[in-house]
């Protein structure tokens, strides 16, 4: 068990170190303190959304909707603070709760109505963004609140606040997956839903909650996104779901479910963001950056497939004796 | 029926085949002679090297030493395609059919008749019909494979294997998914093929059926031949002796039946064919469910376990009527199900043994919000010891374990959960003799502790020997309940033939 939950951290960590080394060697300003703190800010939103993606991938689902959910949630958040005068702390909690609600909707369709997750969240990807454009005539809402930017750009003990959010959320996710009955059930349901059902687990409820967690993470991501630019916009979060899924998969989560590790997801998110950051510093155009992200995703998913192939080969060698 | 014209040179011969993987010897100097017209049994416990041997014959692995001879001449089998071309055909445990295609398409897949990209459908259908006729089975070549029964799919596999005019047919555990009648059918077909001068290599765990079928037997142990065809007497005791090295009483039944009733099923009915099923199981009793595959035994298990919703009737444990809406309710009431197909329904292949065993009762690890992994380690290791799980299996993903150890872990899950009613659906299917003995001992332990066991088994000897009473199932109904000592094998067979007449 210990070995399983520790799961191979070596490969993603090696990838991260290689990417970091290349970035440091090729990009003079990469190791500047300013840039490093900038990196922490950049990675925070992707990494938090990726927590949700990991939970959903662990139950053998997929969530394509968090980017669009974030757009919708920043609009609602910005409007409720700026135009409805709802106090900031309450608006933040409401936004996270609403995010959980959007996730619960995906979860309901997937777990209880048995519509494949790819379809429900693809529909949500489209629908949530459409809804975002329904607010404020489809225009962004700027200058939401004076105190808002502090949530994102503030520091504590000289370190950016988002770093603390990351640490707290990742520690919580790690604890949940490792030390709670729910976390164990998440792995079991993703590993073999039939066996999970026949072992007495409430499979659909577990799936439902995984999507709800993903929604709540999108809610937190939306608050940070709004704080980052002190605004809400229906155009926020485009493609974020891809980065989040890529982070989980680069971290070694299997899209077949049941295999993956939250700390590795953080490593995956860092890898992606460092690549983007290095490309930025070298003034590589956005178009090329998105191509590189595509290449990273293909490589990562490819590795996921190959890992099974390689595993099978090793398995074949190992198994010739135990199983005749 | 050995071939008269060619007794001197066997159709196929393995001479001193050896295979090593990274220093581990899987096969050591194995020699076999496979004669035309003979059914040759290959026996051995899991891990004895049977699979490796077949894989070498089918070109999946290349031998490290030794040679394969066809008609007395050495041949090199470079890969599966070369094996087919050389006249070797194998039917493996896992079906290699495409479920969405027709029978004819499956038979000719990879070898479709026709010109260039155009498929000659008529020829394909005709030749499929011809192959079916050779097997003397009535399966429509136009039928979609997914619509066929498991037994018929197995026959399609065999049809596919012989369609290319193979001189040798290898069957790896072909009967694991078949019922009694279907096994008889398969044996009839194999004898027919042998009569058509094919050499047949037949691998099975079911000693009783090998005894009835084969002409000679080779026993493998630790990758070596321990008993050659010429030496082995074709009898169950001789096989068991050769395989595990001693003659043991392989059904160590202990009578532990107590007075009080633990499980009561009354008038069960489900949409899944279970009709008016009523029976009681006493504490310490093994209640066997007999009948052929498809008679409704597994469906009764599903009803007891809350998988299929009860349309009528009730289940009581210890006099308490259960609210069975899901397996979770059954688990909470202390009912355990060891499913027929442990790979699909039993095991979590992403887990090692420990979490596989603790999953049904995580509450034993402390609060759901703070499980103690140390407690899990301790409790599951106690179970490992009790179940005699081999030491090397303890810290490995369960996919890497032998069938016997896998089954022990599935059973261990319910010991961990503290279940009191054990529904065991084919608990010894696909596991070796040693693990079987462990399962039987475990059944005795369960009954000694006052638990109730519902045993479903297609192995009639096992069912008769291990049960206290037997209910015979036919078309989802319980047609007869008798003391196991009053049931003969022929009664079970008759139940199935009655079913045929009824159908």
């Amino acid at each position: 068990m210990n070995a399983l939950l520790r799961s191979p951290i070596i490969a993603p960590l090696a990838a991260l170190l290689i990417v970091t080394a290349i970035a440091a060697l090729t990009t003079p300003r990469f190791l500047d303190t300013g840039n490093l703190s900038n990196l922490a800010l950049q990675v925070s939103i992707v990494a938090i959304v990726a927590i949700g993606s990991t939970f959903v991938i662990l139950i053998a689902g997929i969530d394509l909707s968090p980017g669009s959910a974030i757009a919708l949630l920043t609009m609602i958040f910005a409007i409720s603070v700026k135009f409805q005068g709802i106090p900031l702390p309450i608006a933040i909690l409401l936004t996270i709760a609403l995010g959980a609600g959007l996730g619960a909707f995906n979860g309901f369709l997937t777990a209880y109505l048995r519509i494949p997750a790819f379809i429900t969240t693809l529909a949500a990807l489209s629908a949530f963004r459409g809804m975002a454009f329904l607010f404020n005539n489809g225009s962004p809402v700027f200058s939401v609140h004076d105190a808002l930017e502090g949530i994102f750009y503030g520091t504590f003990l000289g370190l950016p606040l988002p770093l603390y959010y990351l640490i707290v959320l990742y520690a919580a996710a790690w604890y949940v997956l490792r030390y709670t009955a729910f976390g164990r059930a998440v792995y079991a349901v993703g590993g073999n839903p039939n066996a999970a059902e026949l072992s007495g687990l409430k499979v659909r409820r577990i799936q439902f909650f995984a999507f709800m967690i993903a929604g709540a993470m999108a809610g937190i991501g939306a608050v940070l996104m709004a704080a980052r630019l002190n605004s809400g916009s229906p155009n926020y979060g485009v493609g974020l779901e891809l980065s989040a899924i890529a982070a989980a998969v680069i971290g070694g989560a299997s899209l077949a479910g049941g295999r993956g590790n939250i700390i590795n997801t953080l490593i995956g998110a860092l890898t992606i963001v460092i690549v983007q950051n290095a490309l930025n510093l070298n003034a590589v155009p956005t178009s090329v950056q998105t191509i590189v992200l595509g290449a990273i995703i293909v490589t990562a998913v490819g590795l996921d497939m190959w890992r099974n192939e390689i595993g099978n080969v090793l398995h074949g060698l190992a198994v010739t004796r135990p199983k005749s | 029926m050995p071939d008269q014209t060619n007794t001197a040179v066997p159709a196929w011969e393995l001479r001193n085949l050896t295979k090593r993987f990274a220093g581990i010897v899987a096969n050591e100097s194995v020699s076999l002679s496979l004669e035309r017209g003979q059914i040759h049994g290959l026996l051995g416990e899991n891990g004895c090297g049977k699979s490796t041997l077949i894989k070498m014959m089918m070109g999946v692995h290349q031998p490290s030493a030794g040679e394969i001879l066809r008609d007395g001449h050495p041949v090199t089998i470079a890969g599966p395609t070369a094996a087919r071309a050389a006249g070797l055909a194998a039917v493996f445990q896992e079906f290699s059919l495409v479920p969405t295609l027709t029978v004819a398409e499956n038979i000719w897949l990879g070898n479709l008749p026709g010109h260039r990209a155009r498929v000659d459908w008529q020829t394909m259908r005709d030749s499929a019909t011809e192959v079916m006729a050779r097997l003397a089975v009535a399966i429509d070549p136009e039928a979609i494979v997914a619509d066929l029964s498991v037994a018929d799919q197995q026959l399609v596999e065999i049809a596919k294997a012989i369609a290319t005019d193979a001189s040798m047919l290898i069957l790896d555990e072909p009967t694991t998914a078949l019922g009694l009648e279907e096994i008889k059918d398969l044996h009839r077909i194999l004898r027919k093929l042998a009569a058509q001068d094919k050499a047949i290599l037949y691998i099975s765990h079911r000693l009783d059926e090998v005894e009835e079928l084969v002409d000679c037997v080779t026993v493998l142990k630790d990758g070596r031949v321990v008993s050659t065809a010429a030496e082995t007497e074709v009898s169950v005791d001789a096989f068991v002796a050769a395989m595990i090295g001693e003659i043991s009483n392989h059904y160590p039944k202990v009578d532990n039946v107590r007075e009080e009733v633990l499980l009561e099923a009354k008038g069960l009915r489900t949409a899944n064919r279970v009709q008016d099923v009523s029976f009681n199981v006493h504490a310490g009793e093994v209640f066997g469910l007999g009948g052929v595959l498809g008679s409704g035994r597994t469906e009764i298990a599903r009803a007891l376990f809350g998988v299929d919703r009860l349309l009528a009737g009730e289940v009581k444990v210890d006099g308490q009527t259960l609210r069975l809406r899901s397996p979770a309710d059954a688990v909470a009431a202390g009912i355990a199900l060891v499913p027929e197909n442990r790979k699909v329904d039993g095991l979590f292949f992403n887990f090692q043994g420990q979490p596989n065993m603790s999953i049904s009762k995580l509450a034993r690890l402390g609060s759901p919000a703070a499980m103690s992994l140390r407690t899990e380690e301790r409790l599951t290791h106690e179970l490992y010891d009790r179940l005699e799980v081999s030491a090397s299996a303890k810290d490995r993903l369960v996919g890497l374990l032998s069938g016997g150890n896998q089954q022990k872990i599935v059973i261990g899950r319910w010991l961990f959960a503290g279940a009191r009613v054990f529904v065991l659906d084919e608990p010894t299917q696909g596991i070796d003799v040693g693990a079987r003995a462990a399962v039987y001992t475990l059944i005795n332990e369960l009954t000694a502790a006052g638990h109730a066991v519902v045993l479903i088994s297609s192995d009639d000897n096992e069912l008769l020997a291990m049960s206290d009473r037997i209910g015979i199932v036919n078309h989802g109904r319980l047609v007869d309940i008798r003391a196991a000592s009053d049931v003969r094998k022929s009664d079970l067979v008759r139940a199935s033939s009655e079913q045929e007449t009824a159908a």
Side-chain angles (χ1 to χ4, degrees):
Chain A
M1 191 61 219
N2 293 340
L4 165 76
L5 288 184
R6 259 187 268 120
S7 149
I9 202 170
I10 304 301
L13 195 61
L16 175 64
L17 292 177
I18 292 169
V19 165
T20 310
I22 294 174
L25 291 174
T26 57
T27 316
R29 284 168 299 155
F30 180 77
L31 289 177
D32 289 359
T33 10
N35 187 51
L36 288 181
S37 124
N38 188 27
L39 263 181
L41 297 182
Q42 276 187 14
V43 81
S44 60
I45 295 174
V46 177
I48 287 168
V49 173
I51 292 176
S53 304
T54 305
F55 272 86
V56 172
I57 287 172
L58 280 176
I59 56 129
I62 189 91
D63 187 0
L64 301 174
S65 70
S68 296
I70 282 177
L72 173 59
L73 291 167
T74 59
M75 284 304 282
I76 295 173
F77 176 67
I79 286 169
S80 56
V81 173
K82 184 166 182 176
F83 300 138
Q84 307 292 324
I86 296 176
L88 209 46
I90 293 172
I92 289 172
L93 290 179
L94 280 177
T95 302
I96 296 170
L98 193 57
L102 295 177
F105 182 65
N106 285 335
F108 175 76
L109 293 177
T110 306
Y112 291 100
L113 300 189
R114 310 261 180 118
I115 303 170
F118 188 90
I119 303 299
T120 52
T121 61
L122 182 66
L125 165 95
S126 174
F128 291 167
R129 192 164 302 277
M131 286 182 218
F133 277 98
L134 291 179
F135 291 92
N136 201 32
N137 296 322
S139 307
V141 178
F142 296 109
S143 308
V144 176
H145 193 284
D146 293 340
L148 190 52
E149 290 189 358
I151 293 172
F152 192 76
Y153 294 103
T155 58
F156 179 69
L157 302 175
L159 294 170
L161 283 180
L163 198 61
Y164 295 98
Y165 308 149
L166 267 191
I167 292 170
V168 168
L169 289 170
Y170 268 87
W174 176 80
Y175 180 87
V176 165
L177 286 174
R178 187 172 163 85
Y179 288 108
T180 70
F182 170 74
R184 186 65 68 80
V186 163
Y187 279 101
V189 165
N192 186 344
N194 295 330
E197 183 84 36
L198 292 177
S199 300
L201 297 181
K202 303 227 158 79
V203 171
R204 293 184 211 183
R205 191 180 298 177
I206 304 292
Q207 291 169 335
F208 175 80
F209 278 119
F211 278 97
M212 205 167 103
I213 289 171
M217 292 302 137
I220 296 172
V223 172
L224 292 181
M225 189 75 96
R228 182 180 187 175
L229 296 156
N230 197 7
S231 62
S233 164
N235 290 312
Y236 284 169
V238 174
L240 188 61
E241 61 283 338
L242 287 187
S243 304
I245 293 168
V249 174
I250 291 171
S254 163
L255 292 175
R259 291 171 208 258
N261 174 317
I262 198 72
I263 303 303
N264 282 6
T265 296
L266 180 57
I267 293 174
L270 277 169
T271 308
I272 293 174
V273 169
I274 285 174
V275 169
Q276 283 175 338
N277 177 270
L279 294 174
N280 264 334
L281 292 178
N282 288 307
V284 175
T286 321
S287 52
V288 177
Q289 288 193 25
T290 51
I291 295 172
V292 171
L293 180 60
I296 293 177
I297 292 168
V298 163
T299 312
V301 175
L303 279 175
D304 184 45
M305 317 300 282
W306 299 333
R307 190 173 50 176
N308 292 339
E309 298 288 301
I310 295 163
N312 283 343
V313 171
L314 296 176
H315 181 80
L317 293 177
V319 156
T320 13
R321 273 181 65 80
K323 186 180 184 300
S324 105
Chain B
M1 49 211 95
D3 187 70
Q4 299 300 317
T5 56
N6 213 352
T7 39
V9 183
W12 286 89
E13 191 181 351
L14 312 183
R15 208 173 274 171
N16 298 323
L17 275 191
T18 297
K19 180 68 188 174
R20 293 183 206 89
F21 293 105
I24 300 166
V25 180
N27 284 128
E28 177 77 51
S29 199
V30 174
S31 297
L32 279 185
S33 274
L34 301 148
E35 315 272 353
R36 285 187 189 77
Q38 265 197 1
I39 302 179
H40 192 126
L42 181 62
L43 291 177
E45 295 197 57
N46 278 334
C48 72
K50 289 176 297 189
S51 287
T52 312
L53 196 64
I54 299 170
K55 282 179 180 159
M56 279 193 282
M57 296 176 76
M58 293 308 294
V60 179
H61 297 318
Q62 294 305 315
S64 312
E67 52 188 6
I68 299 173
L69 291 84
R70 183 180 57 177
D71 297 325
H73 304 291
V75 287
T76 306
I77 297 166
T81 320
R84 272 188 91 95
L88 292 164
V91 177
F92 291 106
Q93 279 168 297
E94 277 83 27
F95 290 171
S96 58
L97 301 176
V98 182
T100 51
L101 296 182
T102 66
V103 170
E105 284 167 328
N106 265 289
I107 290 175
W108 295 108
L109 203 64
N111 194 15
L112 294 173
H115 182 65
R116 299 210 179 149
R118 241 184 77 111
V119 174
D120 182 349
W121 295 100
Q122 193 56 46
T123 307
M124 189 168 86
R125 277 191 292 269
D126 292 348
S127 43
T129 311
E130 187 266 321
V131 173
M132 289 301 175
R134 246 194 286 163
L135 291 175
V137 294
I139 297 174
D140 179 9
E142 297 286 281
I144 300 291
V145 163
D147 298 339
L148 299 178
S149 69
V150 174
D152 283 352
Q153 291 186 17
Q154 178 86 66
L155 294 178
V156 174
E157 277 282 346
I158 294 171
K160 186 178 169 183
I162 65 162
T164 48
D165 272 326
S167 60
M168 182 158 98
L169 183 62
I170 302 167
L171 297 110
D172 188 4
E173 306 266 355
T175 57
T176 30
L178 303 189
L180 194 66
E181 277 303 304
E182 295 154 341
I183 291 174
K184 285 183 161 180
D185 251 8
L186 176 70
H187 287 182
R188 179 181 58 74
I189 288 160
L190 292 179
R191 287 199 196 93
K192 199 171 168 62
L193 287 171
Q196 291 165 13
D197 247 11
K198 308 246 183 253
I200 295 173
L201 183 61
Y202 188 97
I203 295 154
S204 176
H205 271 104
R206 295 184 55 178
L207 308 171
D208 52 339
E209 67 170 59
V210 174
E211 183 181 21
E212 289 163 16
L213 176 73
V214 301
D215 300 307
C216 57
V217 168
T218 296
V219 180
L220 279 186
K221 191 174 186 212
D222 296 330
R224 296 161 195 270
V225 174
V226 290
S227 171
T228 62
E231 296 164 5
T232 314
E233 269 183 75
V234 182
S235 82
V236 168
D237 280 344
F239 299 156
V240 173
M243 282 165 71
I244 63 177
E246 64 188 271
I247 297 178
S248 61
N249 175 9
H250 47 289
Y251 298 113
K253 172 66 181 167
V254 180
D255 184 353
N256 288 318
V257 183
R258 299 185 190 179
E259 197 57 44
E260 68 269 25
V261 169
L262 187 51
L263 173 74
E264 287 172 74
K266 232 183 262 169
L268 303 187
R269 183 157 65 87
T270 69
N272 207 350
R273 297 189 306 135
V274 174
Q275 281 289 344
D276 196 28
V277 166
S278 302
F279 62 92
N280 293 337
V281 186
H282 292 257
E285 184 180 30
V286 178
F287 184 80
L289 289 177
V292 291
L293 192 89
S295 60
R297 294 169 306 171
T298 295
E299 287 73 11
I300 292 174
R302 289 169 63 92
L304 283 178
F305 201 63
V307 183
D308 295 337
R309 217 161 54 86
L310 291 180
L311 300 176
E314 56 180 11
V315 176
K316 289 185 186 177
V317 171
D318 232 358
Q320 301 283 317
T321 305
L322 307 184
R323 264 191 85 188
L324 275 183
R325 292 155 306 178
S326 69
D329 291 334
V331 173
I335 302 180
L337 175 69
V338 174
E340 182 178 10
N341 190 335
R342 67 179 165 269
K343 288 191 168 138
V344 175
D345 295 325
L347 292 163
F348 299 99
F349 286 102
N350 52 333
F351 285 161
Q352 297 167 335
Q354 288 106 302
N356 261 294
M357 292 196 284
S358 61
I359 192 72
S360 285
K361 191 106 183 180
L362 292 171
R364 283 189 73 191
L365 308 183
S367 138
M371 301 189 305
S372 161
L373 301 187
R374 198 171 300 165
T375 307
E376 180 176 47
E377 180 94 4
R378 182 170 54 78
L379 293 174
T380 51
H381 271 82
E382 283 170 17
L383 275 178
Y384 275 152
D385 293 341
R386 181 171 162 198
L387 294 165
E388 296 177 352
V389 173
S390 44
S392 61
K394 286 177 185 174
D395 292 313
R396 306 183 73 177
L397 292 174
V398 290
L400 300 172
L401 307 187
S402 68
N405 281 326
Q406 288 182 344
Q407 190 68 302
K408 286 177 185 176
I409 281 169
V410 175
I411 295 173
R413 177 182 301 158
W414 299 114
L415 297 175
F416 186 94
R420 302 170 61 204
V421 175
F422 287 74
V423 182
L424 311 178
D425 195 352
E426 304 285 0
T428 60
Q429 195 169 80
I431 67 178
D432 59 58
V433 177
R436 268 172 186 245
V439 170
Y440 300 143
T441 309
L442 200 69
I443 291 177
N444 287 333
E445 278 180 34
L446 293 177
T447 54
H451 300 319
V453 175
V454 176
L455 176 66
I456 298 173
S457 176
S458 298
D459 182 336
D460 294 335
N461 293 333
E462 170 181 299
L463 188 72
L464 294 176
M466 291 307 297
S467 304
D468 295 296
R469 284 183 304 147
I470 288 181
I472 294 173
V473 184
N474 198 344
H475 281 272
R477 292 174 185 275
L478 209 47
V479 292
D480 197 6
I481 298 179
R482 272 190 271 170
S485 51
D486 294 342
V487 183
R488 293 180 188 292
K489 233 171 141 177
S490 55
D491 295 330
L492 298 171
V493 177
R494 209 173 56 223
S496 61
S497 58
E498 275 163 11
Q499 184 192 26
E500 276 193 350
T501 5

